[in-house]
PDB file of all heavy atoms in Angstrom:
ATOM      1  N   ASN A1134     -85.196  74.081 -24.857  1.00 98.00           N
ATOM      2  CA  ASN A1134     -84.711  75.413 -24.520  1.00 98.00           C
ATOM      3  C   ASN A1134     -85.527  76.459 -25.270  1.00 98.00           C
ATOM      4  O   ASN A1134     -85.454  76.568 -26.492  1.00 98.00           O
ATOM      5  CB  ASN A1134     -83.226  75.549 -24.872  1.00 98.00           C
ATOM      6  CG  ASN A1134     -82.701  76.941 -24.576  1.00 98.00           C
ATOM      7  OD1 ASN A1134     -82.920  77.482 -23.508  1.00 98.00           O
ATOM      8  ND2 ASN A1134     -82.016  77.530 -25.549  1.00 98.00           N
ATOM      9  N   ASP A1135     -86.288  77.258 -24.525  1.00 97.00           N
ATOM     10  CA  ASP A1135     -87.226  78.201 -25.125  1.00 97.00           C
ATOM     11  C   ASP A1135     -86.557  79.548 -25.403  1.00 97.00           C
ATOM     12  O   ASP A1135     -86.978  80.582 -24.904  1.00 97.00           O
ATOM     13  CB  ASP A1135     -88.437  78.370 -24.201  1.00 97.00           C
ATOM     14  CG  ASP A1135     -89.594  79.088 -24.875  1.00 97.00           C
ATOM     15  OD1 ASP A1135     -89.638  79.114 -26.126  1.00 97.00           O
ATOM     16  OD2 ASP A1135     -90.456  79.622 -24.149  1.00 97.00           O
ATOM     17  N   CYS A1136     -85.493  79.496 -26.206  1.00 97.00           N
ATOM     18  CA  CYS A1136     -84.753  80.704 -26.596  1.00 97.00           C
ATOM     19  C   CYS A1136     -84.306  81.493 -25.364  1.00 97.00           C
ATOM     20  O   CYS A1136     -84.519  82.710 -25.272  1.00 97.00           O
ATOM     21  CB  CYS A1136     -85.615  81.573 -27.520  1.00 97.00           C
ATOM     22  SG  CYS A1136     -84.670  82.791 -28.486  1.00 97.00           S
ATOM     23  N   SER A1137     -83.678  80.786 -24.429  1.00 97.00           N
ATOM     24  CA  SER A1137     -83.211  81.431 -23.201  1.00 97.00           C
ATOM     25  C   SER A1137     -82.193  82.518 -23.497  1.00 97.00           C
ATOM     26  O   SER A1137     -81.391  82.403 -24.427  1.00 97.00           O
ATOM     27  CB  SER A1137     -82.583  80.385 -22.265  1.00 97.00           C
ATOM     28  OG  SER A1137     -83.530  79.431 -21.853  1.00 97.00           O
ATOM     29  N   GLY A1138     -82.199  83.542 -22.655  1.00 97.00           N
ATOM     30  CA  GLY A1138     -81.247  84.633 -22.807  1.00 97.00           C
ATOM     31  C   GLY A1138     -80.019  84.469 -21.940  1.00 97.00           C
ATOM     32  O   GLY A1138     -79.118  85.316 -21.976  1.00 97.00           O
ATOM     33  N   ASP A1139     -79.982  83.388 -21.157  1.00 97.00           N
ATOM     34  CA  ASP A1139     -78.824  83.146 -20.297  1.00 97.00           C
ATOM     35  C   ASP A1139     -78.010  81.975 -20.851  1.00 97.00           C
ATOM     36  O   ASP A1139     -78.033  81.716 -22.044  1.00 97.00           O
ATOM     37  CB  ASP A1139     -79.281  82.906 -18.848  1.00 97.00           C
ATOM     38  CG  ASP A1139     -80.127  81.632 -18.709  1.00 97.00           C
ATOM     39  OD1 ASP A1139     -80.353  80.944 -19.723  1.00 97.00           O
ATOM     40  OD2 ASP A1139     -80.541  81.331 -17.577  1.00 97.00           O
ATOM     41  N   ASP A1140     -77.315  81.249 -19.987  1.00 97.00           N
ATOM     42  CA  ASP A1140     -76.416  80.184 -20.439  1.00 97.00           C
ATOM     43  C   ASP A1140     -77.055  78.793 -20.399  1.00 97.00           C
ATOM     44  O   ASP A1140     -76.339  77.785 -20.382  1.00 97.00           O
ATOM     45  CB  ASP A1140     -75.144  80.176 -19.579  1.00 97.00           C
ATOM     46  CG  ASP A1140     -74.221  81.345 -19.898  1.00 97.00           C
ATOM     47  OD1 ASP A1140     -74.306  81.869 -21.027  1.00 97.00           O
ATOM     48  OD2 ASP A1140     -73.426  81.720 -19.021  1.00 97.00           O
ATOM     49  N   THR A1141     -78.381  78.727 -20.400  1.00 98.00           N
ATOM     50  CA  THR A1141     -79.044  77.417 -20.354  1.00 98.00           C
ATOM     51  C   THR A1141     -78.580  76.515 -21.490  1.00 98.00           C
ATOM     52  O   THR A1141     -78.196  75.355 -21.277  1.00 98.00           O
ATOM     53  CB  THR A1141     -80.574  77.586 -20.413  1.00 98.00           C
ATOM     54  OG1 THR A1141     -81.025  78.333 -19.275  1.00 98.00           O
ATOM     55  CG2 THR A1141     -81.272  76.228 -20.425  1.00 98.00           C
ATOM     56  N   LEU A1142     -78.622  77.016 -22.726  1.00 98.00           N
ATOM     57  CA  LEU A1142     -78.222  76.211 -23.878  1.00 98.00           C
ATOM     58  C   LEU A1142     -76.743  75.840 -23.800  1.00 98.00           C
ATOM     59  O   LEU A1142     -76.363  74.689 -24.085  1.00 98.00           O
ATOM     60  CB  LEU A1142     -78.512  76.963 -25.171  1.00 98.00           C
ATOM     61  CG  LEU A1142     -78.125  76.241 -26.464  1.00 98.00           C
ATOM     62  CD1 LEU A1142     -78.894  74.935 -26.618  1.00 98.00           C
ATOM     63  CD2 LEU A1142     -78.357  77.142 -27.681  1.00 98.00           C
ATOM     64  N   LYS A1143     -75.899  76.779 -23.428  1.00 98.00           N
ATOM     65  CA  LYS A1143     -74.464  76.523 -23.321  1.00 98.00           C
ATOM     66  C   LYS A1143     -74.184  75.397 -22.331  1.00 98.00           C
ATOM     67  O   LYS A1143     -73.382  74.493 -22.609  1.00 98.00           O
ATOM     68  CB  LYS A1143     -73.742  77.798 -22.887  1.00 98.00           C
ATOM     69  CG  LYS A1143     -72.244  77.633 -22.712  1.00 98.00           C
ATOM     70  CD  LYS A1143     -71.605  78.937 -22.235  1.00 98.00           C
ATOM     71  CE  LYS A1143     -70.113  78.761 -21.997  1.00 98.00           C
ATOM     72  NZ  LYS A1143     -69.495  80.010 -21.477  1.00 98.00           N
ATOM     73  N   ILE A1144     -74.855  75.425 -21.183  1.00 98.00           N
ATOM     74  CA  ILE A1144     -74.658  74.389 -20.169  1.00 98.00           C
ATOM     75  C   ILE A1144     -75.106  73.032 -20.712  1.00 98.00           C
ATOM     76  O   ILE A1144     -74.421  72.018 -20.525  1.00 98.00           O
ATOM     77  CB  ILE A1144     -75.426  74.753 -18.885  1.00 98.00           C
ATOM     78  CG1 ILE A1144     -74.763  75.957 -18.206  1.00 98.00           C
ATOM     79  CG2 ILE A1144     -75.503  73.563 -17.928  1.00 98.00           C
ATOM     80  CD1 ILE A1144     -75.575  76.548 -17.072  1.00 98.00           C
ATOM     81  N   CYS A1145     -76.242  73.005 -21.399  1.00 98.00           N
ATOM     82  CA  CYS A1145     -76.726  71.746 -21.971  1.00 98.00           C
ATOM     83  C   CYS A1145     -75.727  71.159 -22.957  1.00 98.00           C
ATOM     84  O   CYS A1145     -75.436  69.955 -22.933  1.00 98.00           O
ATOM     85  CB  CYS A1145     -78.076  71.973 -22.657  1.00 98.00           C
ATOM     86  SG  CYS A1145     -79.470  72.245 -21.535  1.00 98.00           S
ATOM     87  N   ARG A1146     -75.182  72.007 -23.807  1.00 98.00           N
ATOM     88  CA  ARG A1146     -74.238  71.512 -24.812  1.00 98.00           C
ATOM     89  C   ARG A1146     -72.906  71.107 -24.188  1.00 98.00           C
ATOM     90  O   ARG A1146     -72.306  70.100 -24.594  1.00 98.00           O
ATOM     91  CB  ARG A1146     -74.048  72.573 -25.891  1.00 98.00           C
ATOM     92  CG  ARG A1146     -75.286  72.690 -26.802  1.00 98.00           C
ATOM     93  CD  ARG A1146     -75.149  73.760 -27.850  1.00 98.00           C
ATOM     94  NE  ARG A1146     -76.255  73.670 -28.820  1.00 98.00           N
ATOM     95  CZ  ARG A1146     -76.527  74.614 -29.712  1.00 98.00           C
ATOM     96  NH1 ARG A1146     -75.785  75.711 -29.786  1.00 98.00           N
ATOM     97  NH2 ARG A1146     -77.543  74.459 -30.551  1.00 98.00           N
ATOM     98  N   GLU A1147     -72.444  71.861 -23.203  1.00 98.00           N
ATOM     99  CA  GLU A1147     -71.178  71.525 -22.549  1.00 98.00           C
ATOM    100  C   GLU A1147     -71.249  70.177 -21.841  1.00 98.00           C
ATOM    101  O   GLU A1147     -70.260  69.453 -21.760  1.00 98.00           O
ATOM    102  CB  GLU A1147     -70.796  72.616 -21.554  1.00 98.00           C
ATOM    103  CG  GLU A1147     -70.269  73.883 -22.204  1.00 98.00           C
ATOM    104  CD  GLU A1147     -69.923  74.956 -21.176  1.00 98.00           C
ATOM    105  OE1 GLU A1147     -70.324  74.792 -19.999  1.00 98.00           O
ATOM    106  OE2 GLU A1147     -69.270  75.943 -21.556  1.00 98.00           O
ATOM    107  N   HIS A1148     -72.431  69.836 -21.330  1.00 98.00           N
ATOM    108  CA  HIS A1148     -72.594  68.590 -20.570  1.00 98.00           C
ATOM    109  C   HIS A1148     -73.281  67.499 -21.391  1.00 98.00           C
ATOM    110  O   HIS A1148     -73.724  66.492 -20.834  1.00 98.00           O
ATOM    111  CB  HIS A1148     -73.380  68.869 -19.286  1.00 98.00           C
ATOM    112  CG  HIS A1148     -72.630  69.711 -18.295  1.00 98.00           C
ATOM    113  ND1 HIS A1148     -71.796  69.173 -17.344  1.00 98.00           N
ATOM    114  CD2 HIS A1148     -72.579  71.062 -18.134  1.00 98.00           C
ATOM    115  CE1 HIS A1148     -71.257  70.152 -16.628  1.00 98.00           C
ATOM    116  NE2 HIS A1148     -71.717  71.303 -17.076  1.00 98.00           N
ATOM    117  N   HIS A1149     -73.366  67.713 -22.707  1.00 97.00           N
ATOM    118  CA  HIS A1149     -73.906  66.711 -23.634  1.00 97.00           C
ATOM    119  C   HIS A1149     -75.331  66.297 -23.249  1.00 97.00           C
ATOM    120  O   HIS A1149     -75.698  65.119 -23.302  1.00 97.00           O
ATOM    121  CB  HIS A1149     -72.995  65.484 -23.690  1.00 97.00           C
ATOM    122  CG  HIS A1149     -71.554  65.832 -23.976  1.00 97.00           C
ATOM    123  ND1 HIS A1149     -71.143  66.289 -25.214  1.00 97.00           N
ATOM    124  CD2 HIS A1149     -70.460  65.820 -23.173  1.00 97.00           C
ATOM    125  CE1 HIS A1149     -69.834  66.527 -25.166  1.00 97.00           C
ATOM    126  NE2 HIS A1149     -69.398  66.255 -23.945  1.00 97.00           N
ATOM    127  N   ILE A1150     -76.119  67.284 -22.859  1.00 98.00           N
ATOM    128  CA  ILE A1150     -77.523  67.067 -22.515  1.00 98.00           C
ATOM    129  C   ILE A1150     -78.347  67.129 -23.791  1.00 98.00           C
ATOM    130  O   ILE A1150     -78.154  68.013 -24.630  1.00 98.00           O
ATOM    131  CB  ILE A1150     -77.986  68.134 -21.496  1.00 98.00           C
ATOM    132  CG1 ILE A1150     -77.288  67.897 -20.149  1.00 98.00           C
ATOM    133  CG2 ILE A1150     -79.501  68.130 -21.338  1.00 98.00           C
ATOM    134  CD1 ILE A1150     -77.493  69.027 -19.157  1.00 98.00           C
ATOM    135  N   HIS A1151     -79.269  66.188 -23.943  1.00 97.00           N
ATOM    136  CA  HIS A1151     -80.144  66.154 -25.117  1.00 97.00           C
ATOM    137  C   HIS A1151     -81.065  67.365 -25.082  1.00 97.00           C
ATOM    138  O   HIS A1151     -81.909  67.492 -24.175  1.00 97.00           O
ATOM    139  CB  HIS A1151     -80.953  64.868 -25.122  1.00 97.00           C
ATOM    140  CG  HIS A1151     -81.759  64.675 -26.359  1.00 97.00           C
ATOM    141  ND1 HIS A1151     -82.850  63.837 -26.432  1.00 97.00           N
ATOM    142  CD2 HIS A1151     -81.639  65.225 -27.602  1.00 97.00           C
ATOM    143  CE1 HIS A1151     -83.371  63.875 -27.639  1.00 97.00           C
ATOM    144  NE2 HIS A1151     -82.651  64.705 -28.368  1.00 97.00           N
ATOM    145  N   VAL A1152     -80.936  68.266 -26.042  1.00 98.00           N
ATOM    146  CA  VAL A1152     -81.675  69.529 -26.000  1.00 98.00           C
ATOM    147  C   VAL A1152     -82.234  69.866 -27.374  1.00 98.00           C
ATOM    148  O   VAL A1152     -81.585  69.662 -28.403  1.00 98.00           O
ATOM    149  CB  VAL A1152     -80.774  70.679 -25.479  1.00 98.00           C
ATOM    150  CG1 VAL A1152     -79.547  70.867 -26.346  1.00 98.00           C
ATOM    151  CG2 VAL A1152     -81.564  71.974 -25.343  1.00 98.00           C
ATOM    152  N   LEU A1153     -83.468  70.356 -27.384  1.00 98.00           N
ATOM    153  CA  LEU A1153     -84.068  70.971 -28.566  1.00 98.00           C
ATOM    154  C   LEU A1153     -84.000  72.474 -28.355  1.00 98.00           C
ATOM    155  O   LEU A1153     -84.500  72.983 -27.346  1.00 98.00           O
ATOM    156  CB  LEU A1153     -85.526  70.531 -28.736  1.00 98.00           C
ATOM    157  CG  LEU A1153     -85.801  69.046 -28.914  1.00 98.00           C
ATOM    158  CD1 LEU A1153     -87.303  68.796 -29.005  1.00 98.00           C
ATOM    159  CD2 LEU A1153     -85.109  68.519 -30.162  1.00 98.00           C
ATOM    160  N   ASP A1154     -83.410  73.195 -29.285  1.00 98.00           N
ATOM    161  CA  ASP A1154     -83.207  74.638 -29.133  1.00 98.00           C
ATOM    162  C   ASP A1154     -84.189  75.394 -30.030  1.00 98.00           C
ATOM    163  O   ASP A1154     -84.073  75.350 -31.256  1.00 98.00           O
ATOM    164  CB  ASP A1154     -81.764  74.996 -29.493  1.00 98.00           C
ATOM    165  CG  ASP A1154     -81.469  76.470 -29.262  1.00 98.00           C
ATOM    166  OD1 ASP A1154     -82.012  77.036 -28.292  1.00 98.00           O
ATOM    167  OD2 ASP A1154     -80.698  77.052 -30.051  1.00 98.00           O
ATOM    168  N   LEU A1155     -85.161  76.066 -29.414  1.00 97.00           N
ATOM    169  CA  LEU A1155     -86.141  76.829 -30.184  1.00 97.00           C
ATOM    170  C   LEU A1155     -85.532  78.159 -30.637  1.00 97.00           C
ATOM    171  O   LEU A1155     -84.901  78.855 -29.834  1.00 97.00           O
ATOM    172  CB  LEU A1155     -87.389  77.087 -29.339  1.00 97.00           C
ATOM    173  CG  LEU A1155     -88.134  75.842 -28.850  1.00 97.00           C
ATOM    174  CD1 LEU A1155     -89.357  76.234 -28.025  1.00 97.00           C
ATOM    175  CD2 LEU A1155     -88.551  74.966 -30.026  1.00 97.00           C
ATOM    176  N   PRO A1156     -85.710  78.538 -31.901  1.00 96.00           N
ATOM    177  CA  PRO A1156     -85.096  79.763 -32.416  1.00 96.00           C
ATOM    178  C   PRO A1156     -85.766  81.036 -31.932  1.00 96.00           C
ATOM    179  O   PRO A1156     -85.180  82.108 -31.983  1.00 96.00           O
ATOM    180  CB  PRO A1156     -85.229  79.611 -33.935  1.00 96.00           C
ATOM    181  CG  PRO A1156     -86.434  78.746 -34.118  1.00 96.00           C
ATOM    182  CD  PRO A1156     -86.418  77.786 -32.962  1.00 96.00           C
ATOM    183  N   ILE A1157     -87.025  80.930 -31.484  1.00 97.00           N
ATOM    184  CA  ILE A1157     -87.741  82.075 -30.908  1.00 97.00           C
ATOM    185  C   ILE A1157     -88.429  81.605 -29.642  1.00 97.00           C
ATOM    186  O   ILE A1157     -88.664  80.416 -29.449  1.00 97.00           O
ATOM    187  CB  ILE A1157     -88.788  82.672 -31.883  1.00 97.00           C
ATOM    188  CG1 ILE A1157     -89.829  81.611 -32.257  1.00 97.00           C
ATOM    189  CG2 ILE A1157     -88.119  83.243 -33.118  1.00 97.00           C
ATOM    190  CD1 ILE A1157     -90.982  82.161 -33.064  1.00 97.00           C
ATOM    191  N   ASN A1158     -88.731  82.561 -28.770  1.00 96.00           N
ATOM    192  CA  ASN A1158     -89.409  82.229 -27.521  1.00 96.00           C
ATOM    193  C   ASN A1158     -90.886  81.961 -27.781  1.00 96.00           C
ATOM    194  O   ASN A1158     -91.610  82.830 -28.253  1.00 96.00           O
ATOM    195  CB  ASN A1158     -89.244  83.384 -26.519  1.00 96.00           C
ATOM    196  CG  ASN A1158     -89.932  83.102 -25.206  1.00 96.00           C
ATOM    197  OD1 ASN A1158     -91.057  83.535 -24.981  1.00 96.00           O
ATOM    198  ND2 ASN A1158     -89.261  82.384 -24.328  1.00 96.00           N
ATOM    199  N   LEU A1159     -91.340  80.745 -27.473  1.00 96.00           N
ATOM    200  CA  LEU A1159     -92.729  80.350 -27.692  1.00 96.00           C
ATOM    201  C   LEU A1159     -93.563  80.397 -26.422  1.00 96.00           C
ATOM    202  O   LEU A1159     -94.770  80.204 -26.476  1.00 96.00           O
ATOM    203  CB  LEU A1159     -92.788  78.932 -28.271  1.00 96.00           C
ATOM    204  CG  LEU A1159     -92.161  78.721 -29.649  1.00 96.00           C
ATOM    205  CD1 LEU A1159     -92.327  77.266 -30.084  1.00 96.00           C
ATOM    206  CD2 LEU A1159     -92.771  79.658 -30.684  1.00 96.00           C
ATOM    207  N   GLY A1160     -92.932  80.639 -25.277  1.00 94.00           N
ATOM    208  CA  GLY A1160     -93.659  80.567 -24.022  1.00 94.00           C
ATOM    209  C   GLY A1160     -93.740  79.130 -23.545  1.00 94.00           C
ATOM    210  O   GLY A1160     -93.439  78.180 -24.278  1.00 94.00           O
ATOM    211  N   ILE A1161     -94.170  78.955 -22.294  1.00 95.00           N
ATOM    212  CA  ILE A1161     -94.196  77.620 -21.709  1.00 95.00           C
ATOM    213  C   ILE A1161     -95.080  76.673 -22.510  1.00 95.00           C
ATOM    214  O   ILE A1161     -94.748  75.502 -22.709  1.00 95.00           O
ATOM    215  CB  ILE A1161     -94.665  77.689 -20.233  1.00 95.00           C
ATOM    216  CG1 ILE A1161     -94.706  76.299 -19.588  1.00 95.00           C
ATOM    217  CG2 ILE A1161     -96.029  78.368 -20.118  1.00 95.00           C
ATOM    218  CD1 ILE A1161     -93.374  75.618 -19.490  1.00 95.00           C
TER     219      ILE A1161
END
């Protein structure tokens, strides 16, 4: 998750998806 501004991270956590959450946007 590239520091998304929407609910991408929330959805990943709610559905127990393995996610790395970047603290700042690094670009693709």
Side-chain angles (χ1 to χ4, degrees):
N1134 178 48
D1135 193 21
C1136 199
S1137 297
D1139 64 0
D1140 287 336
T1141 298
L1142 179 62
K1143 179 182 177 182
I1144 290 170
C1145 288
R1146 287 178 170 168
E1147 285 179 347
H1148 292 271
H1149 308 290
I1150 291 170
H1151 187 201
V1152 59
L1153 300 178
D1154 184 36
L1155 300 180
I1157 60 173
N1158 180 263
L1159 296 181
I1161 180 63

